[in-house]
Amino acid sequence: MSNPVVEIKWLRKSFGTLEVLKGVDFNVNESEVVCLIGSSGSGKSTLLRCINLLEKPDDGSIHVFGQNILDVKNVDQYRANVGMCFQQFNLFKNMNVLKNCMIAQQKVLHRSAKEAEEKARFYLRKVGMEQFALADSNMISGGQKQRVAIARALCMEPKLMLFDEPTSALDPEMVKEVLVVMKQLAEEGLTMIVVTHEMGFARQVADRVVFMDKGVIEEEGDPKTMFTNPKSERTREFLSHFQED
Amino acid sequence: MQESFFRQVLDILQKYWPSMAIGIQNTLIISLTGTIIGLVIGLFVGGLRAIRLDYTASKSALIGKKILDFAGKVYIDVFRGTPMMVQAVFLYYALLNIVHWDKLGAGIFVISVNTGAYMAEIIRSGIQAVDPGQTEAARSLGMSNIQTMMNVVLPQAVRNAFPAIGNEFIVNIKDSSVLMIISIADLMFQSKSIAGSTFQFTATYGITAAIYFILTSTASLILNLIEKRLNRPRTSFPQSDTDPSSMSLATEKAGKS
Ligand SMILES: Nc1ncnc2c1ncn2[C@@H]1O[C@H](COP(=O)(O)OP(=O)(O)OP(=O)(O)O)[C@@H](O)[C@H]1O
Ligand SMILES: [Mg+2]
């Protein structure tokens, strides 16, 4: 395939004596949607967090947009290009919805308040939350919070978006409203890496599914093959938990 | 006996009310200004101490941070570990030749640096109570350590710590009475001179106690009202929700299959 956005080679990361990533090779191409699946503790979050440098890798290399990010001088500037959404949304509790979407634009990209507000409203509209612009960010539902968090990240106009279990903390009826938004982004060609347990979403939206197990990539492939005919026994076993219900 | 006590109280109030009023005014000025300046010191020292530099920080930032942390710790330990009365006399005389103290200024200075040490710890624990996810989100958007602290963490920390911050004000209303030692005309000092001229110690200090009590309970009432206000959601939010199915894109059910 074409232009690689993320190229990870032999990535290793330990916390103390616990080796979490044991040599991960991982690529993502432009406009590709990659779903990262795997059981708890397999290192999915750690891999994502290494990509936007919230964790420091011990060994290996990570190139993003062709640049070795372990060498970048201005980490803040780099992070502004990579959006991230968290399981717990992490909306700024001291700000309303609109301000949540404006603050980083103003502080990091030095946009004027007017420009930041326009952008914020544009992306809030996109996720269906514009009429909540002035709402207290603590007073909206989980699904709404996550949509605002997505808008907040989009306001920085990232070229890569990382999602760490964006729907895992949501009630089932709210999962859909978030997935709808994510699917729309995928269709618009945004490059996305999504850690998820939503196999339906992975099957439908992902260009590629990557199964991580115990700190390594056990298997990867297009969703259809992975879900119907996985090569590895471990993958088969993991996926069987999802076929049951 | 009962009656004569109240008689004495009324007489003292009638005769010495103006000088009591000056005392009240000074006590309030010193404790309020001292608390506010102390809070500013506390935000600065506590905020700096709570910043955790990650591995992306430069060497010089790390060294600078170490030095500042150490200085902050010495300041906090010294001012929390010695009596304010001793701090008052020491600072007053030690700095007398450098600053030609206005008495009130000296009082505010002592209360401020003393309160600052307590506030620094209050702010620090307020910061520790802020969800680390808040910092992560800010950092993932590219905000720097300082921007994150100023815009996201500190406002929430102050909110968390508001009861403790308010309590410092109450403590200061009471504890500013030790400033009598450097002859600042606060409520305690004024009371002492009134008692000295009337020789009615019980009645005079009874009034003093009552006034302190009224000041602290009024302050605590006001602080509670502010606290309540802070707990209210800041803005109303609209009635209608968005129906996800009405969004630009309809998907088939995407759940666990
Ligand atoms: N900061 C940290 N310090 C110590 N251990 C950590 C840290 N972060 C993660 N770990 C450990 O690393 C392992 C992998 O964590 P990680 O969060 O990457 O897993 P995950 O695949 O995202 O799992 P989950 O599905 O539960 O989110 C876990 O055992 C976790 O306890
Ligand atoms: Mg995780």
Side-chain angles (χ1 to χ4, degrees), chain B residues 75-142:
Chain B
Y75 162 62
I76 291 167
D77 287 351
V78 166
F79 278 88
R80 298 206 322 164
T82 55
M84 186 157 71
M85 198 187 272
V86 176
Q87 294 163 17
V89 273
F90 178 79
L91 288 174
Y92 181 71
Y93 290 109
L95 301 180
L96 193 56
N97 292 327
I98 308 166
V99 256
H100 295 286
W101 289 119
D102 155 57
K103 287 270 166 152
L104 210 56
I108 291 171
F109 178 78
V110 172
I111 297 267
S112 299
V113 288
N114 177 277
T115 306
Y118 287 90
M119 287 287 193
E121 288 299 272
I122 289 171
I123 294 297
R124 195 160 72 120
S125 46
I127 289 171
Q128 276 161 355
V130 174
D131 174 8
Q134 297 281 307
T135 304
E136 293 217 319
R139 302 290 274 146
S140 78
L141 288 162

Side-chain angles (χ1 to χ4, degrees), chain A residues 49 53 91 128 131 134 242, chain B residues 55 134 136 235 238 241-242 257:
Chain A
R49 293 164 58 81
L53 295 174
L91 290 188
Q131 73 271 47
L134 298 180
F242 292 89
Chain B
Y55 68 94
Q134 297 281 307
E136 293 217 319
T235 40
D241 193 349
T242 344
S257 53

Side-chain angles (χ1 to χ4, degrees), chain A residues 15 18 20 38-47 55 87 164-165 197:
Chain A
F15 294 108
L18 178 71
V20 177
S39 53
S40 184
S42 56
K44 307 178 298 292
S45 297
T46 307
L47 177 59
E55 302 288 354
Q87 185 175 346
D164 194 355
E165 304 198 29
H197 294 298

Side-chain angles (χ1 to χ4, degrees), chain A residues 11 22 25 48 51-52 60 140 158 194 230 232 234 242:
Chain A
L11 183 65
K22 304 172 184 169
D25 291 321
L48 276 201
I51 296 175
N52 77 351
I140 54 179
V194 184
S232 136
R234 215 22 226 112
F242 292 89

